[in-house]
């Protein structure tokens, strides 16, 4: 019984890793669940398994809440950077940096929320970042939320948002703040 | 006071405000906010005073109105710090608290954005390279149309795209109202401050009288005379500050004129050159 | 000494696996030896190592005498074939139709131009459209232009794009949008 579950998991892991490799781009978790008729819990377990197996390897698993992608590992970036002809600019403007910091650290945010924090109209910067593929919109009821894309995580060299520096501290602060304001 | 930093160096009013506070190595609170009010106002005055040759540095008008809205709260804070006698409405008190909170919140994300800046493309994780079908080995080309591909669906698709084009920047109604209310705030404050000032002068005069009185009475006690003298100097300074502040308010009011003029046009599309034309 | 060699080997394995993943196609062994300035023996050792690590995984190493490639494992190929079939017959949906409409109405366009008009990153959608044979790429110097395929025109039942309804009006509106924001 237990071996059976394990072998199913192993098989699922193989399949999902294969699909992710074949796709070569971000795949939505919802789609994977549909594809393999598995539960969300099973998928998370499988992804954890793949993530573990790819530790210290040349390939790594990058994840957001909704998507997952196989990418090269941090160790390989230098080598590829050297091979790649077109050097990508490392410069992001102030408006971009602030907006990205908000969606990364604060979590998915509406345009209004981002504008409240930044104190300026953000219509055009959000459009620019969306065109560059650094942020994505997600519809939640009638609200449109902006959130980091997998490509942004790739650019930042992190596998999940949890790897962002200071993220735990900030998350704690935000929760505390919200508790306070609720009073 | 000329600003050594170009306007484009700020991503918005909170950025400007924060950098003014940090330049003085202060913490964000109502005291530091009142200390940088003049710097802030002289800065946004410059926003309207740029020559046309520099107009690539201009903010779109809706951004200018964002700057002005913050200015209104700063003026309240400054007024209160200069004249504690000035009573503020609940709403005004709230706007001061909100600004402090917002600035602290903004400060947090601004400092976090340094992590993003540092990490961005430092050691990126690469996707598998995409090889187009035409360049793949042993791959026959496929044509796989879908049921929903039709001329009608392409037509409705392109219209959805066109409808999603960002609308030209129209001065938002809310901002117009806020800009208007700023002028009201200034007029109102000028009036209230003049009244409070009269009261201060009265106090000042009273002080003078009591001082003279004291001098007559305790001619021989030097210490108390000194204390009184200090008080007078302090009050004189205060009055000077208030007078210069009122003069400054005038300047801001003049600065407002250009924003007001846009108001007259109502919801008209804003051209940066119009914004750039000096109005004083 | 031995640990040092091992760590070098480990690092080399990571890099080579990463490069093979990133390339997504066969790479000549000679090239890898040049790239990493290693010996043939070292390369063989590394490839053996990667081969071992990818046993029972979704990705496996395929080798000839002169070339090496990462591919999806055989066990997964059936699943992938099925998924590919499903994907090729699926309806396009709104986002893809919008992108395809831009390519049709605007005429040959770069990815940047398409994204600018749509206001959203279109990389993944363009790939899908290309894989389905709905659009084709045309290389013009260093630029890549996308245009509707002849098969697509046939499917739509039109001889030229000029036959698209409201084409002149739509073109005008797109041009106006592009002019406005370029300033």
């Amino acid at each position: 019984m237990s071996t059976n579950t394990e072998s199913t998991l192993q098989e699922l892991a193989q399949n999902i890793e294969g699909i992710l490799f074949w796709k070569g781009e971000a795949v939505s978790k919802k789609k994977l669940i549909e594809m393999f008729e598995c539960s969300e819990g099973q998928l998370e377990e499988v992804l954890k398994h793949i993530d573990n197996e790819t530790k210290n390897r040349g390939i790594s698993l990058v994840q957001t809440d909704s998507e997952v992608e196989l990418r090269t590992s941090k160790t390989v970036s230098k080598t590829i950077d050297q091979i790649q002809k077109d050097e990508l600019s490392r410069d992001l403007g102030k408006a971009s940096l602030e907006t990205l910091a908000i969606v990364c650290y604060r979590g998915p945010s509406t345009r209004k929320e981002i504008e409240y924090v930044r104190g300026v109209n953000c219509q055009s910067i959000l459009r620019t970042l969306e065109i560059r593929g650094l942020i994505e919109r997600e519809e939640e009821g009638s609200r449109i939320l902006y959130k980091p894309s997998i490509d942004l995580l790739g650019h930042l060299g992190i596998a999940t948002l949890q790897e962002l520096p200071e993220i735990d501290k900030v998350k704690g602060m935000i929760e505390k703040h919200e508790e306070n304001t609720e009073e | 006071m000329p600003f050594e930093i170009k306007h484009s160096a700020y991503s918005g009013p909170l950025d400007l405000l924060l950098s003014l506070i940090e330049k003085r190595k202060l913490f964000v609170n109502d005291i530091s906010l009142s200390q940088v009010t003049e710097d802030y106002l002289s800065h946004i005055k410059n926003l309207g005073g740029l020559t046309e040759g520099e107009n690539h540095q201009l903010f779109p008008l809706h951004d200018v109105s964002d700057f002005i809205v913050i200015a209104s709260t700063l003026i309240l804070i400054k007024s209160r710090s200069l004249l504690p006698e000035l009573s503020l409405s609940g709403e005004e008190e709230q706007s001061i608290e909100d600004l402090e909170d917002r600035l602290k919140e903004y400060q947090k994300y601004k400092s976090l954005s340094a992590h993003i800046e540092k990490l961005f493309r430092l050691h990126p994780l690469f996707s598998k390279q995409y090889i187009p079908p035409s360049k793949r080995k042993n791959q026959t080309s496929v044509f796989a149309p879908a049921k929903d591909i039709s001329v009608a669906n392409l037509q409705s698709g392109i219209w959805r795209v066109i409808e999603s084009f960002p609308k030209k920047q129209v001065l938002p109604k809310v901002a117009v109202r806020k800009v208007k209310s700023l002028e009201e705030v200034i007029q109102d404050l000028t009036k209230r401050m003049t009244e409070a000032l009269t009261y201060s002068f009265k106090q000042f005069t009273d002080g003078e009288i009591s001082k003279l009185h004291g001098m007559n009475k305790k001619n021989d006690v030097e210490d108390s005379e000194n204390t009184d003298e200090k008080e007078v100097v302090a009050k004189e300074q205060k009055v000077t500050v208030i007078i210069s502040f009122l003069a400054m308010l005038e300047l801001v009011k003049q600065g407002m004129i250009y924003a007001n003029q846009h108001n007259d046009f109502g919801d008209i599309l804003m051209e940066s050159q119009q914004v750039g034309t000096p109005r004083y």
Side-chain angles (χ1 to χ4, degrees), chain A, chain B:
Chain A
M1 181 84 183
S2 123
T3 38
N4 189 24
T5 325
E6 252 171 53
S7 84
T8 319
L9 206 113
Q10 171 88 20
E11 213 185 294
L12 197 57
Q14 265 186 46
N15 273 308
I16 287 179
E17 192 182 42
I19 292 291
L20 290 176
F21 175 78
W22 172 68
K23 275 288 202 175
E25 59 181 19
V27 180
S28 96
K29 290 183 181 176
K30 224 176 98 193
K31 211 167 163 184
L32 287 173
I33 290 171
E34 268 173 39
M35 243 178 227
F36 295 102
E37 294 170 352
C38 63
S39 71
E40 217 181 302
Q42 278 173 312
L43 178 68
E44 289 305 327
E45 208 173 332
V46 162
L47 293 177
K48 218 167 137 187
H49 175 79
I50 297 176
D51 192 41
N52 271 329
E53 293 242 324
T54 49
K55 285 266 175 287
N56 303 317
R57 302 267 311 276
I59 305 171
S60 59
L61 201 68
V62 184
Q63 293 187 63
T64 63
D65 284 348
S66 56
E67 291 185 323
V68 54
E69 182 180 355
L70 276 181
R71 289 203 171 208
T72 59
S73 313
K74 244 186 207 175
T75 21
V76 190
S77 3
K78 241 196 196 155
T79 316
I80 297 181
D81 254 339
Q82 281 164 359
I83 304 171
Q84 228 182 13
K85 298 139 233 159
D86 48 325
E87 207 173 291
L88 292 163
S89 162
R90 286 202 58 205
D91 279 347
L92 286 174
K94 274 192 166 199
S96 297
L97 286 171
E98 288 173 15
T99 310
L100 293 178
I102 293 168
V103 295
C104 284
Y105 284 98
R106 189 180 182 279
S109 307
T110 63
R111 179 177 144 193
K112 250 196 173 153
E113 289 167 336
I114 297 166
E115 288 179 338
Y116 185 77
V117 175
R118 293 196 55 226
V120 284
N121 184 296
C122 296
Q123 184 183 26
S124 85
I125 191 66
L126 286 171
R127 196 174 163 97
T128 305
L129 292 173
E130 222 184 323
I131 288 175
R132 286 188 69 178
L134 299 176
I135 60 169
E136 282 171 351
R137 57 171 75 198
E138 182 181 77
E139 280 173 40
E140 199 195 69
S142 59
R143 299 198 312 164
I144 292 170
L145 296 170
Y146 292 92
K147 52 178 207 170
S149 69
I150 276 210
D151 200 39
L152 176 61
L153 300 195
H155 280 298
L156 296 175
I158 55 176
T160 72
L161 283 175
Q162 278 312 309
E163 289 181 16
L164 277 175
E166 285 193 283
I167 186 104
D168 288 331
K169 200 174 127 198
V170 174
K171 279 254 158 91
M173 265 166 64
I174 292 172
E175 271 156 32
K176 225 171 154 189
H177 183 76
E178 271 162 15
E179 271 168 31
N180 283 342
T181 41
E182 262 169 35
E183 273 163 31
Chain B
M1 184 179 88
F3 261 80
E4 58 268 82
I5 307 164
K6 297 260 188 229
H7 303 303
S8 51
Y10 302 108
S11 69
L14 297 178
D15 190 21
L16 167 62
L17 199 48
L18 190 63
S19 61
L20 292 173
I21 290 171
E22 284 172 349
K23 214 158 102 188
R24 293 181 180 222
K25 299 190 168 61
L26 300 170
F27 293 108
V28 175
N29 53 38
D30 58 341
I31 298 164
S32 62
L33 282 173
S34 88
Q35 284 176 348
V36 300
T37 300
E38 274 138 303
D39 297 351
Y40 183 89
L41 292 177
S42 83
H43 181 90
I44 68 162
K45 182 170 71 83
N46 288 348
L47 280 184
L50 285 177
T51 59
E52 280 177 36
E54 287 175 287
N55 69 21
H56 59 281
Q57 288 173 351
L58 285 176
F59 294 99
L61 189 79
H62 60 85
D63 284 359
V64 175
S65 70
D66 290 333
F67 279 81
I68 291 169
V69 170
I70 301 289
S72 128
T73 308
L74 282 175
I75 290 168
L76 278 177
I77 296 172
K78 183 80 181 181
S79 312
R80 190 181 59 175
S81 81
L82 291 175
L83 289 173
E85 298 90 340
L86 198 70
S87 67
L88 299 182
S89 70
E91 203 183 318
E92 286 169 336
E93 294 279 4
Q94 189 60 45
S95 75
I96 291 173
E97 255 175 60
D98 283 352
L99 181 60
E100 263 183 71
D101 285 349
R102 282 181 72 181
L103 202 55
K104 281 178 190 160
E105 186 80 349
Y106 173 76
Q107 186 177 34
K108 185 174 82 195
Y109 289 110
K110 192 176 162 64
S111 75
L112 289 170
S113 76
H115 295 308
I116 306 282
E117 186 171 30
K118 195 179 135 227
L119 287 177
F120 193 73
R121 292 206 49 82
L122 179 65
H123 36 58
L125 315 178
F126 292 89
S127 287
K128 189 175 132 194
Q129 274 188 339
Y130 167 74
I131 302 161
S134 56
K135 293 191 174 156
R136 285 180 202 172
K137 288 170 201 159
N138 44 36
Q139 180 103 11
T140 46
S141 65
V142 286
F143 176 61
K147 278 192 237 88
D148 59 347
I149 298 179
S150 66
V151 168
N153 277 346
L154 290 181
Q155 190 182 9
S156 58
I158 200 71
W159 280 107
R160 275 201 306 278
V161 172
I162 290 170
E163 272 150 30
S164 78
F165 288 166
K167 309 284 174 285
K168 279 205 191 170
Q169 303 294 9
V170 171
L171 192 58
K173 282 214 171 76
V174 184
V176 173
R177 210 166 49 232
K178 280 183 183 161
V179 173
K180 251 190 207 164
S181 76
L182 174 64
E183 217 203 351
E184 281 159 22
V185 165
I186 291 170
Q187 275 170 1
D188 175 47
L189 271 177
T190 313
K191 203 172 134 239
R192 281 155 71 190
M193 287 185 70
T194 317
E195 279 164 16
L197 200 56
T198 317
Y199 176 69
S200 280
F201 270 123
K202 195 168 157 277
Q203 269 196 324
F204 174 72
T205 323
D206 286 351
E208 282 282 347
I209 289 163
S210 71
K211 189 191 114 193
L212 287 170
H213 188 61
M215 268 168 76
N216 286 341
K217 253 196 167 175
K218 301 172 185 175
N219 217 357
D220 48 340
V221 188
E222 279 184 48
D223 273 0
S224 98
E225 194 185 19
N226 274 348
T227 315
D228 280 342
E229 232 168 44
K230 269 183 204 156
E231 230 177 277
V232 173
V233 171
K235 275 185 177 157
E236 259 173 1
Q237 278 173 342
K238 198 172 176 186
V239 169
T240 317
V241 173
I242 293 167
I243 288 168
S244 62
F245 182 58
L246 283 175
M248 190 184 61
L249 283 184
E250 272 311 301
L251 274 178
V252 177
K253 255 164 86 182
Q254 283 173 34
M256 284 314 97
I257 289 167
Y258 74 84
N260 240 351
Q261 282 201 334
H262 287 294
N263 237 353
D264 293 341
F265 298 140
D267 278 356
I268 279 182
L269 315 171
M270 297 306 161
E271 304 279 1
S272 50
Q273 265 142 338
Q274 281 181 305
V275 185
T277 314
R279 300 284 175 180
Y280 44 86

